[in-house]
């Protein structure tokens, strides 16, 4: 049988030569037999996190009580500065950690629309992540704006030509993912930002599937606005607070719609009227979830120590391994690649289409391979380079090949469950 010229011994050799191999030991791995390829949905738990969170709970909350607000009050900004420097390519004071990605998207989209009163159109990829579509649909409906939804290739992403063709001087805002959640298609941030700027439109980037695994240069690419998650490749835990980025020169020109007291100048003066802070904190709202924030610092320690450039290098090699093994082993079993072939145009996950992908995904979990299913008919494989070995990738594809050739998935019911 063809092994794509890559034996398990080859994967072992790649692990032995991997400069990031030791980072795996800094994550909790309770089941050594599990092949976890879903780091793009929920990153693993860093070993340091439980104690860090427990210290915040026991000491800062339990003992410090309300006095601990002196430390907590700046966390959103200090964590934002770390993300700016090490993950996003932004400047200090341009990023803050707060709320969820959905809420941050709403705040920044609304702020951008308020700042473009003469323009009536928002542009979005029809295949954009659902929450982004729903938030933008709601904003367009409540403001009487036209949503220009662009058809795009499910596997190849929104084409630069289609996007340029949709831009005119009635466009206020483009909302776009840097890396598509389904296919992994990677956009050229500088080119899109420049094309939008040429007609006077802004771009709000969602970098959820890029942060921590694709080097971002928000400042260098001219990006004005961005939001993203911390629980995917950044490993801050389920529901961890998200981040938002607003370029420094825009901050005072934009007002966000949720006028909470954490965005207020001189918050504890408790003044009568809303008067937003000058900096990025004006885009925060209320009391931050301190216990959840406590998990972000130890997670960022690891990403910073590894460095996103090195993580990208390994992610590309692991993506190429997925593609090579899928071509050799899975294509003959009815799988079709559903991501850009060129690794330079792909984030860190690879999708494979198969008519029975839903049941294959369930059967894979039973065989100790955690990937995920996305409509329509796609199995997503997201090896997070910080803790995934080349042998994990090899074993996962090997188990997939074995279970599909044995027809194990055909024994399962067809109905999708609530969480996919
Ligand atoms: C994961 C993800 C989200 C998640 O938003 P939440 O508010 O955290 O649920 C949003 N947008 C994109 C593009 C994502 O990949």
């Amino acid at each position: 049988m063809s092994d794509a010229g890559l034996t398990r011994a080859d994967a072992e050799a790649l692990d032995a030569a991997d400069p990031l191999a030791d980072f795996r030991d800094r994550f909790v791995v309770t089941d050594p037999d599990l092949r976890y390829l879903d780091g793009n949905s929920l990153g693993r738990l860093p070993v340091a996190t439980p104690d860090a969170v427990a210290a915040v709970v026991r000491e800062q909350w339990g003992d410090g009580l309300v006095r601990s607000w002196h430390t907590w009050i700046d966390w959103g900004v200090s964590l934002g500065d770390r993300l700016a420097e090490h993950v996003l390519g932004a400047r200090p004071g341009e990023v803050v950690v707060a709320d969820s990605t959905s809420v941050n998207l709403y705040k920044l989209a609304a702020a951008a629309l308020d700042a473009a009163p003469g323009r009536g159109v928002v542009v979005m990829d029809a295949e954009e992540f659902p929450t982004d579509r729903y938030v933008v649909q709601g904003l367009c409906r409540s403001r009487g704006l036209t949503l220009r939804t662009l058809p795009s290739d499910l596997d190849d992403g929104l084409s630069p030509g289609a996007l340029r063709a949709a831009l005119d001087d009635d466009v206020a805002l483009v909302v776009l993912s840097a890396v598509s959640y389904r296919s992994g298609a990677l956009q050229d941030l500088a080119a899109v930002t420049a094309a939008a700027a040429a007609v006077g439109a802004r771009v709000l980037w969602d970098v959820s599937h890029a942060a921590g695994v694709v080097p971002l240069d928000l400042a260098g690419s001219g990006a004005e606005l961005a939001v993203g998650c911390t629980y995917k490749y950044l490993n801050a835990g389920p529901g961890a607070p998200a981040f938002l980025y607003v370029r420094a020169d825009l901050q005072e020109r934009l007002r966000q719609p949720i006028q909470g007291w954490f965005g207020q100048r001189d918050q504890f003066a408790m003044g009568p009227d809303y008067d937003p802070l000058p900096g990025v904190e004006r885009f925060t709202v209320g009391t931050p979830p301190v216990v959840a924030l406590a998990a972000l610092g130890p997670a960022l320690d690891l990403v910073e120590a590894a460095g996103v450039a090195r993580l990208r290098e390994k992610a590309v090699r692991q993506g190429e391994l997925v593609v090579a093994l899928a071509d050799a082993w899975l294509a003959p079993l009815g799988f079709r690649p559903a991501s850009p072939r060129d690794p330079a145009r792909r984030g860190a996950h690879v999708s494979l289409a198969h008519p029975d992908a839903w049941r294959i995904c369930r059967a894979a979990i039973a065989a100790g391979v955690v990937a995920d299913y996305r409509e329509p008919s796609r199995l997503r494989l997201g090896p997070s380079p910080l803790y995934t070995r080349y042998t994990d990738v090899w074993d996962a594809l090997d188990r997939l090949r074995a279970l599909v050739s044995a027809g194990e998935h055909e024994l399962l019911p067809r109905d999708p469950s609530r969480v996919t």
Side-chain angles (χ1 to χ4, degrees):
M1 183 180 303
S2 161
D3 58 10
L6 283 156
T7 62
R8 194 171 195 283
D10 293 327
E12 284 165 11
L14 288 169
D15 283 333
D18 175 9
L20 302 180
D22 290 347
F23 281 96
R24 179 178 174 81
D25 296 335
R26 298 175 69 179
F27 286 86
V28 171
V29 177
T30 55
D31 176 0
D33 189 50
L34 188 73
R35 299 295 176 261
Y36 189 68
L37 300 191
D38 212 1
N40 58 319
S41 191
L42 179 65
R44 278 189 183 274
L45 170 66
V47 170
T49 298
D51 284 348
V53 173
V56 168
V57 171
R58 292 220 175 83
E59 289 148 36
Q60 298 187 11
W61 174 17
D63 180 52
L65 289 165
V66 76
R67 293 167 292 186
S68 296
W69 270 111
H70 288 292
T71 32
W72 298 334
I73 199 93
D74 290 326
W75 279 10
V77 168
S78 58
L79 289 164
D81 283 344
R82 289 177 66 179
L83 284 166
E85 180 180 352
H86 299 282
V87 172
L88 300 173
R91 291 162 288 238
E94 291 186 320
V95 178
V96 68
V97 176
D99 302 314
S100 65
T101 303
S102 303
V103 170
N104 288 337
L105 191 90
Y106 175 85
K107 292 185 297 186
L108 295 195
L113 293 173
D114 282 341
R119 291 170 178 251
V121 175
V122 180
V123 169
M124 196 167 54
D125 180 352
E127 304 303 332
E128 189 50 81
F129 189 86
T131 205
D132 301 48
R133 285 187 279 115
Y134 306 153
V135 164
V136 172
Q137 286 166 5
L139 279 166
C140 288
R141 198 185 52 219
S142 65
R143 288 156 187 256
L145 301 174
T146 301
L147 180 54
R148 197 172 282 166
T149 312
L150 310 182
S152 73
D153 189 289
L154 250 47
D155 305 338
D156 208 43
L158 182 63
S159 81
L163 179 62
R164 265 195 307 276
L167 295 173
D168 57 39
D169 59 13
D170 204 21
V171 175
L173 184 66
V174 177
V175 176
L176 190 59
S177 279
V179 172
S180 154
Y181 79 98
R182 185 193 284 115
S183 66
L186 173 62
Q187 294 290 341
D188 180 339
L189 274 68
V192 170
T193 301
V199 297
R202 298 210 150 91
V203 183
L204 169 47
W205 288 103
D206 190 328
V207 299
S208 291
H209 267 88
V213 79
V214 174
L216 292 165
D217 180 14
L218 293 179
S221 62
E224 295 184 308
L225 304 166
V227 297
C229 290
T230 62
Y231 51 78
K232 293 173 176 164
Y233 294 105
L234 295 173
N235 313 308
F243 56 84
L244 63 83
Y245 155 87
V246 180
R247 202 174 68 191
D249 61 298
L250 268 182
Q251 291 171 0
E252 288 210 48
R253 285 193 275 150
L254 297 185
R255 280 173 80 103
Q256 67 125 328
I258 309 177
Q259 302 189 164
W261 70 317
F262 272 66
Q264 171 77 354
R265 197 189 297 268
D266 204 1
Q267 176 182 8
F268 286 95
M270 312 265 181
D273 295 312
Y274 182 65
D275 173 21
L277 284 159
V280 75
E281 277 179 283
R282 67 167 45 198
F283 300 97
T284 67
V285 178
T287 307
V290 170
V291 177
L293 272 176
L296 182 51
L300 285 181
D301 288 343
L302 302 180
V303 171
E304 291 171 8
V308 177
R310 289 201 298 170
L311 289 166
R312 170 66 176 166
E313 205 176 301
K314 181 172 171 187
V316 166
R317 298 180 81 159
Q318 294 194 324
E320 290 295 86
L321 181 59
V322 170
V323 169
L325 295 177
D327 283 348
W329 296 344
L330 302 182
L333 297 172
F335 285 88
R336 181 177 65 68
S339 294
R341 293 296 287 198
D342 176 1
R345 293 200 42 243
R346 202 169 63 217
H349 66 275
V350 174
S351 286
L352 303 172
H354 188 288
D356 229 348
W358 159 251
R359 292 197 297 176
I360 291 169
C361 185
R362 305 315 298 171
I365 291 170
V369 176
V370 177
D372 62 20
Y373 172 78
R374 286 293 175 263
E375 286 288 342
S377 306
R378 271 141 179 91
L379 187 66
R380 268 193 332 180
L381 305 174
S384 184
L386 197 48
Y387 48 74
T388 307
R389 298 169 298 199
Y390 291 91
T391 43
D392 294 328
V393 173
W394 199 95
D395 292 345
L397 276 283
D398 184 47
R399 289 184 199 178
L400 277 170
R401 149 173 80 164
L403 76 89
V404 177
S405 22
E408 282 172 36
H409 59 291
E410 285 163 5
L411 306 172
L412 298 174
R414 289 183 182 274
D415 325 331
S417 64
R418 176 159 151 65
V419 178
T420 61

